[in-house]
């Protein structure tokens, strides 16, 4: 990508309606914001960078990044919140910070089910959802498959609970040995694709908000096997986007 304008024009030509990304570099911020307006693209902000192991440092950086993202007035912020090794109380204090910033800025913050974070697995996420009924998730169930080494057949109640709290979907297909299959269109991954589609179907059926957003999220190496060409990432995301547009008859405007 040589410029944001080149990137935006490329995704528009292939049918995307928005972008999900982290804070643009300071020197690119104006170009980024002007490009969103020029192409009529929706913007979901993503926070993932905060990884400090000391809670005080982590919380300070977390709050600073959320405030900077909120200042760009995205649809909402998708946040990688907490650490898997933080205590219940520590992760709750970060969720409290997010809730406070949400009230201060008017920008909604949803929390991704991601490895290494507070919601790294189905069974550990359930208590947070039960005690915090207001908590909203970005459902990336592919991570839970990798952690549990299964398609979560033995945890349907927890998966269904998470679906009821889902406000955004990351549409990547995982399997028992990883968070991303090589190619979701291949027959050997049909069972994994069917599981994810079933989860996403339930989210679409259950969702009561104004706009349900979905980000196809097949990633580059190391998510993608090293032997595959770089363009496979693009092809996989296009495959999922078109599959879901057809499946849900999504608004094309």
């Amino acid at each position: 990508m040589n410029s944001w304008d080149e990137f935006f024009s490329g995704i528009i030509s292939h049918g995307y309606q928005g972008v999900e990304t982290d804070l643009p570099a300071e020197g690119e911020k104006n170009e980024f914001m002007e490009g969103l307006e020029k192409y009529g693209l929706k913007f979901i902000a993503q926070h993932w960078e905060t990884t400090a192991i000391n809670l005080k440092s982590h919380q300070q950086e977390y709050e600073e990044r959320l405030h900077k993202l909120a200042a760009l007035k995205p649809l909402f912020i998708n946040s990688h919140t907490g650490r898997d090794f933080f205590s219940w109380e520590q992760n709750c204090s970060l969720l409290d910070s997010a809730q406070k910033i949400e009230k201060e800025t008017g920008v909604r913050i949803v929390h991704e089910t991601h490895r290494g974070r507070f919601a790294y697995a189905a069974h550990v996420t359930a208590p947070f959802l039960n005690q915090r009924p207001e908590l909203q998730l970005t459902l990336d169930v592919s991570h839970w498959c990798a952690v549990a080494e299964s398609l979560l057949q033995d945890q349907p109640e927890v998966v269904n609970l998470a679906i009821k709290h889902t406000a955004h979907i990351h549409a990547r297909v995982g399997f028992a040995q990883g968070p991303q299959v090589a190619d979701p269109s291949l027959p050997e991954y049909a069972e994994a694709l069917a599981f994810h589609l079933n989860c996403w179907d339930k989210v679409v059926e259950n969702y009561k908000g104004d706009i349900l957003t979905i980000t196809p999220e097949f990633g580059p190496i190391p998510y993608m096997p090293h032997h595959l060409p770089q363009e496979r990432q693009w092809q996989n995301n296009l495959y999922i986007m078109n599959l879901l547009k057809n499946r849900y008859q999504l608004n094309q405007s």
Side-chain angles (χ1 to χ4, degrees):
M1 183 189 77
N2 295 322
S3 68
W4 280 111
D5 189 82
E6 181 183 352
F7 173 71
F8 290 154
S9 64
I11 63 173
I12 281 286
S13 69
H14 284 85
Y16 287 100
Q17 297 170 287
V19 294
E20 179 175 344
T21 188
D22 53 8
L23 193 69
E26 193 62 38
E28 300 176 2
K29 192 178 297 183
N30 288 341
E31 180 190 1
F32 176 80
M33 299 305 294
E34 289 168 3
L36 292 176
E37 184 175 359
K38 175 182 176 180
Y39 291 100
L41 287 162
K42 298 174 176 65
F43 168 46
I44 297 169
Q46 186 178 97
H47 161 266
W48 58 271
E49 300 92 335
T50 307
T51 58
I53 61 175
N54 174 271
L55 178 63
K56 183 176 180 181
S57 300
H58 189 110
Q59 194 152 20
Q60 181 178 352
E61 182 181 350
Y62 180 69
E63 293 177 357
E64 288 174 356
R65 288 188 179 277
L66 290 181
H67 274 296
K68 287 180 179 179
L69 289 170
L72 299 182
K73 300 301 178 184
L75 283 178
F76 58 87
I77 299 170
N78 171 41
S79 175
H80 290 200
T81 298
R83 301 297 303 270
D84 54 358
F85 56 82
F86 279 176
S87 69
W88 166 271
E89 291 77 15
Q90 289 173 318
N91 278 320
C92 282
S93 72
L94 293 167
L95 291 170
D96 288 341
S97 289
Q99 189 175 46
K100 178 173 178 258
I101 292 168
E102 187 175 58
K103 290 179 180 177
E104 290 173 351
T105 64
V107 176
R108 188 164 47 111
I109 301 173
V110 303
H111 304 275
E112 185 174 343
T113 60
H114 201 289
R115 289 169 300 154
R117 302 300 185 169
F118 89 93
Y120 69 91
H123 69 285
V124 299
T125 306
F128 288 97
L129 298 177
N130 285 325
Q131 294 206 19
R132 293 174 172 260
E134 77 286 351
L135 198 62
Q136 292 189 310
L137 299 177
T138 291
L139 184 67
D140 190 339
V141 74
S142 70
H143 286 286
W144 286 358
C145 292
V147 172
E149 289 193 312
S150 74
L151 294 178
L152 305 172
Q153 298 94 331
D154 52 352
Q155 302 183 67
E157 295 86 1
V158 178
V159 173
N160 286 331
L161 176 62
I163 285 169
K164 292 177 182 177
H165 286 259
T166 295
H168 178 47
I169 295 171
H170 272 187
R172 182 176 55 235
V173 178
F175 65 121
Q177 296 303 323
Q180 181 170 302
V181 299
D183 183 341
S185 69
L186 293 177
E188 53 261 46
Y189 298 122
E191 183 182 10
L193 177 60
F195 165 73
H196 287 74
L197 287 172
N198 181 58
C199 291
W200 303 336
D201 287 350
K202 289 180 180 178
V203 173
V204 170
E205 181 180 355
N206 178 78
Y207 190 67
K208 301 296 191 297
D210 294 329
I211 301 174
L212 175 63
T213 49
I214 303 174
T215 299
E217 215 218 1
F218 279 77
I221 294 171
Y223 276 102
M224 186 172 66
H226 286 259
H227 69 277
L228 294 177
Q230 185 176 354
E231 56 265 25
R232 180 61 61 83
Q233 178 193 2
W234 175 255
Q235 292 164 357
N236 285 346
N237 283 317
L238 281 179
Y239 173 81
I240 288 294
M241 179 189 68
N242 289 318
L243 174 66
L244 296 186
K245 277 190 173 184
N246 291 328
R247 188 177 185 88
Y248 303 133
Q249 295 297 298
L250 294 178
N251 181 13
Q252 304 292 309
S253 62

